[in-house]
Amino acid sequence: MTATPLRIRKAAVLGAGVMGAQIAAHLTNAGVETILFDLAAKEGPKSGIALKAIDNLKKLSPAPLAVKDFAAAIIPANYDEHLPLLADVDLVIEAIAERMDWKLDLYKKIAPHVSATAVLASNTSGLSINELASALPEEMRHRFTGVHFFNPPRYMHLVELIPTKLTEASVLAGLEAFLTTTLGKGVVYARDTPNFIGNRIGVFSMLSTMYHTDKFKLGFDVVDALTGPAVGRPKSATYRTADVVGLDTMAHVIKTMADTLPDDPWHSYFKAPAVLEALIAKGALGQKTGAGFYRKAGKDIVVLDPAKQDYVPSEAKVQDEVAAILAIKDPSEKFAKLRASNDPQAQFLWSAFRDLFHYSAYHLGDIAETARDVDLAIRWGYGWKLGPFETWQAAGWQQVAQWIDEDIKAGKTMSNAPLPAWVTDGRKGVHGKDGSWSAGAGADKPRSTHPVYKRQLFPDPILGESADKGTTVWENDGVRLWTLGNDDVGIVSFKTKMNTVNDFVLDGVQEAVRQAESKLRAAVLWQTGEPFSAGADLKGALGLLKENKIAQFEAMVSNFQATSMSIKYSLVPVVAAVRGLALGGGCEFQMHSARTVAALESYIGLVEAGVGLLPAGGGLKELAVRAARLSPEDPFEVLKKVFETIAMAKVSGSAIEAKQLGLLRPDDVVVFNAYELLYVAKQQAIALAESGYRPPMPGRAIPVAGDVGTATFKASLANLAEGYFASPHDILIASSIADTLCGGRIERGSTVDEEWLLALERKHFVALAQTEKTQARIAHTMTTGKPLRN
C-alpha cells in the first residue's frame, strides 16, 4: 500500500496576496520549508511585501497557521534578488493576480532558475492552464499543471487539479498523493475550461439564485434563510457568502465567465446583477469594507433594501407553508410540494434548484470526468451536504428530469437548451454500484485506484455508496467494539449524540478494553463521525446533583476515572484517533491512551472550568504525572504552563497547538487528512503491538509541587481578583485546580501515587459540583451552549 507522493522538501509560492500567503502558511503547517515571493518593495526592505504578508498571517481569523510561531519559518523573498533560490525548490505554486499577461511574464522570468525536476503549478481560479503553459520552455511543460486551492486554503477541503495536454501522468499522480496526504486535501480532476468545476457550477448557482431573488421579489435575508442550512448548505447561504468572498471578486469571476464562455446557452445571465454593480460603485465590497448586502450596525446586522436604497433591520421569515415543506424528510415529496406550491418562496426554491440541475447536466461532459467530481467539488469547495447531482438523484431522477423538461418547453427555465439525451434514458441517477456517470465516456466510472486512497478506509461517501460496517465483537447502549478486515485491531466507537460520555459509555469502554485484552492485539478509539467527544453528559450529572444523590454522583466520577485508567493500563495498546472536538472527558481519554493520532483540525481542551468544575477523569492527575516525569526536581516549572490552559478552559486551535499546550504528547501523531485518520491509527496500534507493547508501570512515587506550588498559584490568582478579571467563584475553581495539580497540602518535593491525585480530583470536583454557582453554570451552558460568568 505505498503511495508515491512527490518528495517535496522545499516549496516556493509566487505572490504574497490573500491566497498565496495562506497557501504558504498551510505548506508550512505540513512541515514543508516554504519561500514566499512577491515584487520588490519600493521603500524599506526589498522583501517588505512578503514580510508584511507573513506578519499578517498571525492576525487572520480563521487562523491560516496551525500555531502562530510557524510564521517565522516562512522565508520572505522578492523577484529582484532571490530568483536563484528557486534552484533547489521541488514545487513552485504561482498565486498572483488573475491576469494572463502578468502570469505569462512571470513564468518567463522564473523559467531559467527552476530546477529540471521541479513541479510547477498555477493556483488560477479560472484561466486556461494550456495557455499558461505556452509561456514555459518546452522541456518544462510536462511538469506544469493547474492546482486550484479554495479560500481559506487551510480549511477548505477541495483542491482542483487541472492537467494540460502535456502534463505527465507521474507528475499528476505524485502531486495528487502530496495534496491528499501531506496537505490533507480532497483532489478533484477538472477539465481546462473557464472557472473549472467548483466555481463554474457554484457561481452559476449564485447567479441563478440572484436572478430568481429579483424575479420573485424576495429580500436578500429571506433568500439566505431559504438557501442556508434549510437546504443543507452553510449558514452564510448566498448573499452572506458573496459579502465574505468580496463583491468585487464575485463580479470578477462573473466577468471571467462572460468573457470566456461566449457560446454558453446561459451567457446572457453572466453579468453582475444591477444591485451588485451599484454596491461595488459605492465601494461597498462586502465584509472587507464593512458593508455589502449586509452591514453591521452596533451589535445588529442590517440588510440592504434595494427599494429604499438603504439598510433595514433583518426580518427574514420563511413562510410557514415553505418551512413545513423543507422539514419533510423524503426529498421526492419535498421537491414535488415545492414545485406544486403557489408560495413565491417555494417557487423560488424550485426554480433555483431546477436551473442548477439543468446547467449541471448540460455541462457535465465539458467540465468534468464524472458526476462524482462535480458533486465532491461543490461539497468540498462550497460546503454543501449534497452536490447538485446527488440532490437531484435523491429527489427521484426521472420525475425531476420530466419536470425540468416540462419547464424548458413552457419557457420557464433560464435557458431553452435541451437536456442531454443521457438524462432521460431511463436511468435512476448518476451514482450507482458501478461508479458515477461520465458523460464524456458514456459509461459509469468507479473511484480512483490511486494507492493514496487505500489509506481512506471510509472515504467521504457519494449518495448510494455504503461503507463496510465491520464485524461487531461486543456492544452495549453506549459503545460498539468492532473490527474491520482481519488485522485483529478492535475499533471502539461511541453511540451517543456528539459522542458524549454517559454511564453506558464508561461501562462500555471498560468492557471493550477487557474484550480487546482477551481477543485482539490492539484497539483504536475512533468515532464514525465528528466530534471525537464533546465530553461528559452534563444532563445526567446535573440530574443527580438536583436530586442530591451525592454518593451516586461521586460513584460516577470514580467510574470516569476507572475508565481512563483502564485505557492507560490496558495490556494491549489503545490508540486514540481524534478529529474535531475532544473536550473534557474526550480529551482525558486520549491523554490516557498509549498514543494519540490526531487530525490537524482537532480542537482539544480540558474545558470543565467553563462550567464551574475541574477535570476529574484523570486529566489533572495525568498532567501532574507528566510534569514530574519532565522535571522531577521541580515539577512546578512545567505545571506553570498547563495551569493557565486548564484554569482558562483553553481549547487548541489545531492538533499542533494541542502539543504546545501539553494536551498532546510530543510523540503523538498529527495527520492532515481526516479520512486517513483510522488507517494511520490502526498502523500505529499494530506497530506498538508488534514491538511487544507493555502498559506503563503504575506511578507510585510521583514528585509534586506541594503546598508551595499551590500558594504560588494562589498569589497570581489574587492579582486577577484584585483587578476584577476573575470572580470569586473563578478563583475557587482555579484554586481547586492548583491544589490538585500540585498534589494537595503536602510538602514540596513529596512523592505521591496516582490514586492520591485521583482522590484530589474527585474531592474538588464533588465539592464544586455542590455549589449553587457551579450548578447555575452547568444549567446555563446546557440551555444556551455558552459559558456563564457568575
Side-chain angles (χ1 to χ4, degrees):
M1 188 184 291
T2 51
T4 49
L6 293 170
R7 297 298 173 201
I8 292 174
R9 190 182 300 279
K10 201 171 197 178
V13 178
L14 312 179
V18 173
M19 284 301 284
Q22 292 197 59
I23 291 168
H26 196 55
L27 285 162
T28 305
N29 290 338
V32 178
E33 189 181 1
T34 303
I35 310 167
L36 181 62
F37 278 87
D38 210 298
L39 298 166
K42 293 187 171 66
E43 293 171 9
K46 273 207 154 183
S47 296
I49 295 172
L51 278 163
K52 189 177 175 188
I54 293 166
D55 189 53
N56 192 47
L57 289 170
K58 295 183 275 188
K59 303 168 194 164
L60 290 177
S61 178
L65 294 161
V67 288
K68 285 183 180 176
D69 312 2
F70 280 6
I74 304 172
I75 302 160
N78 67 81
Y79 303 124
D80 286 8
E81 298 177 305
H82 298 126
L83 288 178
L85 293 178
L86 292 171
D88 63 346
V89 159
D90 306 304
L91 173 66
V92 179
I93 298 175
E94 169 270 305
I96 68 167
E98 291 290 274
R99 282 273 301 265
M100 179 68 77
D101 53 342
W102 291 0
K103 289 181 190 280
L104 296 178
D105 284 349
L106 181 59
Y107 293 0
K108 284 173 185 151
K109 189 186 284 189
I110 65 163
H113 300 277
V114 177
S115 87
T117 55
V119 171
L120 289 92
S122 174
N123 182 57
T124 176
S125 57
L127 298 178
S128 167
I129 302 297
N130 282 288
E131 197 175 331
L132 288 170
S134 66
L136 292 168
E138 211 162 307
E139 67 274 12
M140 291 171 74
R141 291 178 195 171
H142 66 282
R143 290 181 284 111
F144 176 76
T145 183
V147 55
H148 179 217
F149 289 83
F150 272 59
N151 191 18
R154 171 182 159 186
Y155 300 95
M156 297 306 288
H157 193 57
L158 177 65
V159 170
E160 292 175 315
L161 201 50
I162 313 101
T164 70
K165 291 169 188 156
L166 301 173
T167 314
E168 270 181 14
S170 61
V171 167
L172 292 167
L175 197 51
E176 185 172 4
F178 171 77
L179 290 165
T180 303
T181 292
T182 308
L183 298 189
K185 297 299 160 198
V187 173
V188 164
Y189 279 82
R191 301 250 166 97
D192 187 15
T193 54
N195 289 356
F196 314 128
I197 300 173
N199 283 341
R200 180 76 175 271
I201 300 297
V203 172
F204 174 81
S205 178
M206 290 181 81
L207 279 171
S208 160
T209 301
M210 289 175 172
Y211 167 75
H212 290 299
T213 301
D214 185 52
K215 184 178 170 186
F216 290 99
K217 304 288 179 262
L218 300 179
F220 303 129
D221 51 348
V222 171
V223 169
D224 276 357
L226 290 166
T227 59
V231 291
R233 297 182 191 173
K235 275 193 225 166
S236 55
T238 303
Y239 291 99
R240 281 184 197 276
T241 296
D243 275 356
V244 171
V245 168
L247 304 191
D248 51 342
T249 305
M250 174 102 192
H252 174 80
V253 176
I254 296 167
K255 186 177 184 306
T256 302
M257 289 176 80
D259 293 348
T260 54
L261 295 164
D263 301 326
D264 192 303
W266 284 261
H267 183 266
S268 61
Y269 298 97
F270 298 164
K271 56 178 186 280
V275 64
L276 187 65
E277 288 190 329
L279 284 166
I280 293 168
K282 278 189 203 165
L285 306 180
Q287 196 167 279
K288 60 190 169 190
T289 59
F293 288 104
Y294 294 90
R295 182 164 62 79
K296 208 165 183 191
K299 289 187 177 175
D300 298 322
I301 303 285
V302 288
V303 64
L304 181 67
D305 181 337
K308 294 183 180 169
Q309 289 288 298
D310 200 1
Y311 292 89
V312 297
S314 174
E315 294 173 358
K317 170 92 173 69
V318 175
Q319 295 295 345
D320 292 345
E321 180 195 339
V322 179
I325 294 172
L326 290 175
I328 295 169
K329 291 274 190 288
D330 176 17
S332 54
E333 186 188 346
K334 186 185 302 187
F335 272 88
K337 290 202 164 157
L338 282 176
R339 187 168 190 261
S341 170
N342 289 320
D343 188 291
Q345 292 185 4
Q347 283 297 303
F348 158 81
L349 276 172
W350 161 249
S351 303
F353 271 110
R354 173 202 64 209
D355 289 330
L356 168 65
F357 297 158
H358 186 190
Y359 191 82
S360 301
Y362 186 88
H363 285 297
L364 174 59
D366 319 334
I367 64 172
E369 189 59 35
T370 70
R372 183 192 310 105
D373 297 326
V374 173
D375 282 339
L376 290 178
I378 291 295
R379 277 166 42 176
W380 294 343
Y382 281 76
W384 296 11
K385 282 192 178 156
L386 291 178
F389 289 117
E390 289 176 296
T391 308
W392 180 351
Q393 183 168 326
W397 185 271
Q398 285 303 331
Q399 178 62 79
V400 172
Q402 185 187 325
W403 289 335
I404 298 170
D405 199 42
E406 285 170 13
D407 283 8
I408 292 169
K409 287 172 179 153
K412 291 180 179 177
T413 51
M414 289 169 73
S415 164
N416 61 5
L419 282 170
W422 59 264
V423 170
T424 51
D425 64 3
R427 66 180 50 250
K428 289 183 179 171
V430 288
H431 304 301
K433 63 181 192 317
D434 297 323
S436 296
W437 177 251
S438 168
D444 288 332
K445 289 199 170 181
R447 279 185 180 262
S448 168
T449 56
H450 192 304
V452 78
Y453 298 114
K454 289 179 182 165
R455 298 167 60 85
Q456 298 187 14
L457 303 179
F458 292 92
D460 196 357
I462 280 285
L463 185 78
E465 285 183 337
S466 56
D468 183 348
K469 298 285 191 294
T471 305
T472 301
V473 176
W474 177 87
E475 66 184 320
N476 71 350
D477 287 346
V479 157
R480 177 180 178 231
L481 171 66
W482 53 290
T483 55
L484 189 69
N486 55 4
D487 54 16
D488 285 337
V489 176
I491 300 164
V492 182
S493 303
F494 299 175
K495 297 178 176 182
T496 47
K497 189 177 180 184
M498 295 284 283
N499 298 317
T500 51
V501 181
N502 61 15
D503 288 337
F504 293 117
V505 170
L506 294 173
D507 294 342
V509 170
Q510 290 176 54
E511 180 58 30
V513 168
R514 282 192 288 271
Q515 293 274 340
E517 286 177 331
S518 65
K519 297 176 183 174
L520 302 164
R521 62 171 169 168
V524 171
L525 280 174
W526 179 79
Q527 313 298 7
T528 53
E530 287 187 22
F532 177 71
S533 175
D537 173 14
L538 291 175
K539 190 177 175 186
L542 190 62
L544 291 173
L545 292 170
K546 290 286 184 201
E547 292 169 29
N548 208 31
K549 294 180 177 173
I550 304 306
Q552 280 176 256
F553 182 77
E554 188 163 1
M556 185 192 75
V557 180
S558 292
N559 200 26
F560 219 120
Q561 294 179 334
T563 307
S564 292
M565 296 297 270
S566 76
I567 292 169
K568 181 170 182 175
Y569 291 109
S570 165
L571 289 169
V572 295
V574 178
V575 171
V578 174
R579 57 181 166 170
L581 294 173
L583 304 179
C587 175
E588 288 172 304
F589 285 169
Q590 67 80 24
M591 288 175 79
H592 286 80
S593 65
R595 180 157 299 155
T596 297
V597 178
L600 176 71
E601 300 310 334
S602 294
Y603 311 112
I604 301 173
L606 293 170
V607 295
E608 287 82 355
V611 289
L613 293 165
L614 50 65
L620 294 182
K621 176 269 302 176
E622 200 59 23
L623 289 170
V625 169
R626 290 179 189 182
R629 195 181 302 131
L630 285 168
S631 179
E633 298 304 313
D634 187 10
F636 184 77
E637 284 308 305
V638 179
L639 291 174
K640 273 198 302 197
K641 294 175 185 170
V642 297
F643 173 68
E644 187 184 327
T645 299
I646 311 308
M648 293 182 68
K650 279 188 188 173
V651 177
S652 72
S654 70
I656 296 170
E657 191 186 9
K659 287 192 176 191
Q660 284 191 347
L661 294 174
L663 300 171
L664 287 181
R665 295 155 290 202
D667 60 347
D668 284 335
V669 177
V670 177
V671 170
F672 272 60
N673 195 318
Y675 294 108
E676 295 183 354
L677 184 68
L678 180 58
Y679 169 80
V680 177
K682 287 181 87 178
Q683 294 299 312
Q684 290 284 323
I686 290 166
L688 286 167
E690 287 293 310
S691 58
Y693 176 81
R694 293 290 304 169
M697 294 289 276
R700 293 202 177 92
I702 304 156
V704 291
D707 48 11
V708 175
T710 307
T712 311
F713 280 135
K714 284 186 174 175
S716 65
L717 292 172
N719 294 335
L720 286 175
E722 294 242 338
Y724 300 104
F725 295 114
S727 71
H729 198 57
D730 291 331
I731 300 298
L732 175 64
I733 298 158
S735 300
S736 304
I737 291 167
D739 187 64
T740 309
L741 283 172
C742 295
R745 293 180 187 173
I746 55 174
E747 200 175 319
R748 181 181 185 170
S750 301
T751 59
V752 300
D753 60 13
E754 285 183 280
E755 187 44 57
W756 173 275
L757 293 166
L758 290 171
L760 276 172
E761 280 187 359
R762 285 197 303 277
K763 181 186 89 171
H764 286 301
F765 188 87
V766 173
L768 285 169
Q770 291 178 79
T771 63
E772 195 180 311
K773 290 194 169 174
T774 283
Q775 290 184 22
R777 287 189 181 195
I778 295 171
H780 186 269
T781 301
M782 280 170 52
T783 316
T784 66
K786 292 174 182 164
L788 171 70
R789 291 296 304 276
N790 60 359

